[in-house]
Amino acid sequence: MRVVVAPDKFKGSLTAVEAARAIGEGVRDVVADAEVRECPVADGGEGTLDVLLAAGGTRVAARVRGPLDASIDAWYVLLDGTAYVESARACGIEHVEPAPDVALAAHTYGVGELVAHALDNGASRIVLTVGGTASTDGGAGMLLALGAVLLDDDGNQVGLGGGALGAVRTVDLAPVRQKLDAAEVRVATDVTNPLLGPEGAAPVFGPQKGAGPDDVEALGRSLTAWSDALVRSGCAPFADIPGGGAGGGVAAGALAGLGARIESGFDLVVDLTGVLAAMNGADLVITGEGSLDRQSLAGKAPAGIAARAGALGIPVLAVAGRVQLEPSDLAAAGIAGSRALIDHAPSLEYATRNAYPLLREQTAELVRCWLSH
């Protein structure tokens, strides 16, 4: 029996690598001689770098400015000449306590420092993953770190953070383009929100970062001023491009300032994990993540895995921290059966704290049920 194990992370409990190991053990608890291929996956969000390390990448450390200026230790992954830079390593929400003043002040300068570090280390391609940031600065801080010049009406340098960005009037990107040289930049995200508008970065993601209603409006005005200034500098209009609002607009900043293109985070990562090759001849695929819900069906890793396995006629099972989809929804996505850890734990806290053994146990139960049918 050949089984491919391809989960995403269980956020707050297990990395994708750890989850794959637990699921693999659960399979072997039922079928001791099963040939199990552990292929942890990611969708371009938090945890992507851990998956890339497991795929053979090299961790490169760098000390950069955090989202509120204090220096932090960050890192990225180099793999076959490509630098994979996770925005959250430099300006992740985990580095701050969400509050209105934080939402206005947080910036992406450290992201630009990571990109610059990678370029200086010979990377010819940059893949920027943009989830989980504390910032809503449209990637302005990132471009500043790469040499951009942002000035207000009086010719003064515009400060860092989304709150200060409303003063920007002119942008000089020539130093950024010189720094990039011929490097190719791609943005990995499955978020479809644009930079501006009611579904834009400020109203949708600002409250998660501590922004109140007035702060959301202020950030929206700042991002509008930023977009207008970039267009005046010669950038093509980008404010309505799906995905530009990801990471508080850092995706839009990469589009405009780095000549990036937005691609599916899952598609960018899955080819590197070996999971597609491993599926050839497999009898079963098991995937999973922390919460299997409506968002999982919109480009997240489990749906992507199920679609690829389904095209090969391979049945798919899923184990998750919680399952918030009906069996009919799962079946429509190509998932034949599922189990949720929370359904077999006395509390969410217990399930979170004991995710590894629970995942192993519930995988075994799920495989037993599948084999009995």
Side-chain angles (χ1 to χ4, degrees), residues 150-153 158 165-171 225 228-230 232:
L150 280 62
L151 302 178
D152 62 18
D153 276 332
V158 174
L165 193 59
V168 66
R169 291 297 175 269
T170 64
V171 184
D228 292 344
L230 284 167
R232 284 195 298 271

Side-chain angles (χ1 to χ4, degrees), residues 169-226:
R169 291 297 175 269
T170 64
V171 184
D172 180 5
L173 294 173
V176 178
R177 293 175 179 135
Q178 183 177 2
K179 179 72 174 177
L180 279 176
D181 195 13
E184 173 192 7
V185 181
R186 292 180 287 173
V187 174
T189 182
D190 289 301
V191 168
T192 58
N193 303 76
L195 179 68
L196 302 179
E199 296 300 315
V204 173
F205 303 118
Q208 300 172 10
K209 305 170 186 188
D214 292 343
D215 309 308
V216 166
E217 289 190 16
L219 289 169
R221 290 192 297 270
S222 289
L223 293 176
T224 299
W226 175 230

Side-chain angles (χ1 to χ4, degrees), residues 27-199:
V27 172
R28 295 186 191 94
D29 287 341
V30 179
V31 185
D33 61 351
E35 180 185 335
V36 180
R37 283 287 305 275
E38 296 174 11
C39 302
V41 297
D43 58 17
E46 297 166 81
T48 297
L49 297 191
D50 296 314
V51 171
L52 294 169
L53 284 178
T58 300
R59 175 174 171 147
V60 181
R63 192 155 181 83
V64 301
R65 292 171 78 170
L68 296 177
D69 285 342
S71 294
I72 61 171
D73 291 318
W75 55 283
Y76 58 93
V77 169
L78 273 176
L79 180 62
D80 297 331
T82 299
Y84 295 85
V85 177
E86 194 173 282
S87 299
R89 297 290 172 178
C91 65
I93 192 72
E94 70 270 17
H95 295 303
V96 301
E97 191 69 37
D101 57 337
V102 171
L104 294 171
H107 57 76
T108 54
Y109 195 93
V111 180
E113 290 181 304
L114 286 177
V115 171
H117 194 281
L119 293 170
D120 291 341
N121 273 277
S124 57
R125 294 174 300 277
I126 304 289
V127 173
L128 185 64
T129 73
V130 294
T133 68
S135 55
T136 311
D137 75 345
M142 173 183 68
L143 297 181
L144 276 168
L146 289 165
V149 180
L150 280 62
L151 302 178
D152 62 18
D153 276 332
D154 297 321
N156 299 314
Q157 178 73 50
V158 174
L160 291 170
L165 193 59
V168 66
R169 291 297 175 269
T170 64
V171 184
D172 180 5
L173 294 173
V176 178
R177 293 175 179 135
Q178 183 177 2
K179 179 72 174 177
L180 279 176
D181 195 13
E184 173 192 7
V185 181
R186 292 180 287 173
V187 174
T189 182
D190 289 301
V191 168
T192 58
N193 303 76
L195 179 68
L196 302 179
E199 296 300 315

